[in-house]
Amino acid sequence: MVRGWRHLRRAALAVVAVALSGCVQSLDDLGVASHDIPPELLASMHAKGMNPESPVLVRIFKMESELEVWKVDGSGRYALLKTYPMCRWSGKLGPKTKTGDRQAPEGFYRVAMGGLNPKSQFYLSFNLGYPNRLEAALGYSGEALMVHGACSSSGCFALTDQGVGEIYAVVEKALKGGQQAFQVQAYPFRMTPQNLAAHRDDPNFAFWKNLKEGYDIFEVRRWEPKVATCGRKYAFDAEFKDGDPGDPLAICPERIDQTDPAVAAKTSADDQKYQELAGKSLPPLAYQDGGMHPSFRSLLKENGDVKLAEKVSAIKYPISRPVAALADPFDGRE
């Protein structure tokens, strides 16, 4: 069974490699960093029925080392604009809980204009707002958890200067166009039955199942889920009899909302698939310290950390823990 899992993963990575083949095959393909939306991305927006000022939403996946930018199109729902390979994130799969743990956050966040930093030491950045309301109530600590340029992380999500320049320009345009704040959904991995089955013994499994509730809503409805907090977890698209709860740690009050049949059908189908997969054996991922998208891992292996740092950031900031970045966590899966 393990060989089958590995075959599926290799096939998935091959698809990713093809999708990214036009942008990160070599150091020269990285391009030049800019604080403007590039013409080709504007053309892509228009082709997809999006306006530069239309609302934006960001999804982050650690295991895949990818960041997605979504925008509202002519249908009034979100559609995928572009997927960016992440150059570096630190820690392991699982939420950030305390200062200095090197963990990158997992959860739901809102970023307003005040969270954007045009004078970041890592070119451009935006602050996720960690700890959010739930995390603060749980006593989690940490600050200045960012999406930024350069290829170095100590709890942040690092892209190249070129990548974060595009993302920053897109979200800034949406905020200036009237969106008060955009939602960021940060996940350990794509919340599929396969990935959940592979991590069913992880101590964070119950937390991840809670995140999947919001993930499923977005996957089906293509609109950002409303986020409340109670019972020490997130409550998505909830309407409460006496209004939103004030204490994230208190038992959730009575809900009066109706379950979306389409979302319920997806969740049920995923649960059935999970049960089919849960009995299969798959060794856990062996992260040394965070991850790096396979395309950047190839560039690091071929060119070394000094040359890669020179290309991905104008300040030539050192690649964080390059030896750990080269260690593919899937290598132990024969």
Side-chain angles (χ1 to χ4, degrees):
M1 291 301 178
V2 175
R3 290 185 182 275
W5 282 95
R6 191 170 188 181
H7 175 75
L8 289 173
R9 177 185 177 267
R10 282 176 171 170
L13 287 179
V15 172
V16 171
V18 170
L20 296 172
S21 60
C23 56
V24 289
Q25 282 185 309
S26 71
L27 291 180
D28 292 335
D29 292 328
L30 288 168
V32 178
S34 173
H35 187 167
D36 297 313
I37 302 176
E40 58 270 22
L41 192 59
L42 282 172
S44 180
M45 284 185 196
H46 293 310
K48 295 178 179 182
M50 303 168 180
N51 294 318
E53 296 81 10
S54 64
V56 66
L57 180 146
V58 171
R59 297 201 304 179
I60 298 171
F61 301 96
K62 286 183 179 177
M63 191 175 82
E64 293 83 1
S65 294
E66 291 180 342
L67 183 151
E68 296 177 344
V69 175
W70 295 70
K71 283 185 70 67
V72 171
D73 63 13
S75 72
R77 297 185 180 276
Y78 280 99
L80 181 62
L81 173 61
K82 186 172 179 178
T83 300
Y84 294 84
M86 285 194 295
C87 198
R88 203 73 176 91
W89 58 272
S90 62
K92 299 180 180 180
L93 301 184
K96 182 175 186 65
T97 60
K98 61 183 178 181
T99 302
D101 62 7
R102 292 188 61 79
Q103 288 291 103
E106 294 173 8
F108 284 71
Y109 306 90
R110 294 190 64 78
V111 181
M113 186 66 76
L116 273 58
N117 183 6
K119 297 181 180 180
S120 171
Q121 63 172 321
F122 298 115
Y123 185 53
L124 296 168
S125 67
F126 60 83
N127 193 323
L128 293 174
Y130 173 94
N132 62 24
R133 189 165 178 265
L134 175 60
E135 292 160 340
L138 291 171
Y140 294 176
S141 63
E143 60 182 3
L145 278 301
M146 306 279 187
V147 171
H148 61 61
C151 191
S152 179
S153 171
S154 181
C156 295
F157 297 108
L159 294 100
T160 63
D161 283 11
Q162 298 89 337
V164 80
E166 283 191 20
I167 296 165
Y168 188 101
V170 171
V171 301
E172 182 182 46
K173 192 73 171 178
L175 293 173
K176 287 183 176 179
Q179 186 178 14
Q180 292 187 348
F182 65 92
Q183 187 176 85
V184 178
Q185 305 173 7
Y187 297 102
F189 39 70
R190 297 187 182 278
M191 310 303 284
T192 64
Q194 292 84 355
N195 284 335
L196 286 167
H199 297 89
R200 61 191 178 277
D201 295 327
D202 193 285
N204 296 297
F205 186 79
F207 169 66
W208 292 340
K209 286 282 286 183
N210 182 216
L211 294 185
K212 186 179 183 295
E213 295 173 27
Y215 177 91
D216 285 352
I217 290 171
F218 184 76
E219 285 287 291
V220 172
R221 300 185 65 196
R222 290 292 189 253
W223 193 252
E224 70 176 61
K226 176 187 173 184
V227 181
T229 56
C230 59
R232 306 177 70 88
K233 63 181 183 178
Y234 296 105
F236 299 101
D237 280 2
E239 290 184 39
F240 298 96
K241 183 177 181 181
D242 298 317
D244 285 350
D247 183 358
L249 306 183
I251 296 174
C252 291
E254 180 182 354
R255 290 177 63 157
I256 58 174
D257 52 287
Q258 299 296 314
T259 301
D260 185 324
V263 176
K266 179 191 185 315
T267 301
S268 178
D270 283 356
D271 286 344
Q272 182 176 350
K273 183 65 175 178
Y274 167 80
Q275 293 299 331
E276 295 172 2
L277 296 168
K280 299 180 180 180
S281 175
L282 186 65
L285 300 180
Y287 286 103
Q288 291 189 19
D289 183 79
M292 172 179 271
H293 192 273
S295 59
F296 287 116
R297 189 180 295 121
S298 296
L299 294 181
L300 175 59
K301 185 176 181 179
E302 179 181 354
N303 300 278
D305 59 304
V306 175
K307 286 187 177 179
L308 181 59
E310 290 175 350
K311 277 290 187 177
V312 301
S313 177
I315 61 173
K316 303 177 183 179
Y317 201 89
I319 308 296
S320 61
R321 303 193 179 185
V323 174
L326 283 171
D328 186 343
F330 291 89
D331 279 348
R333 294 186 176 177
E334 297 301 332

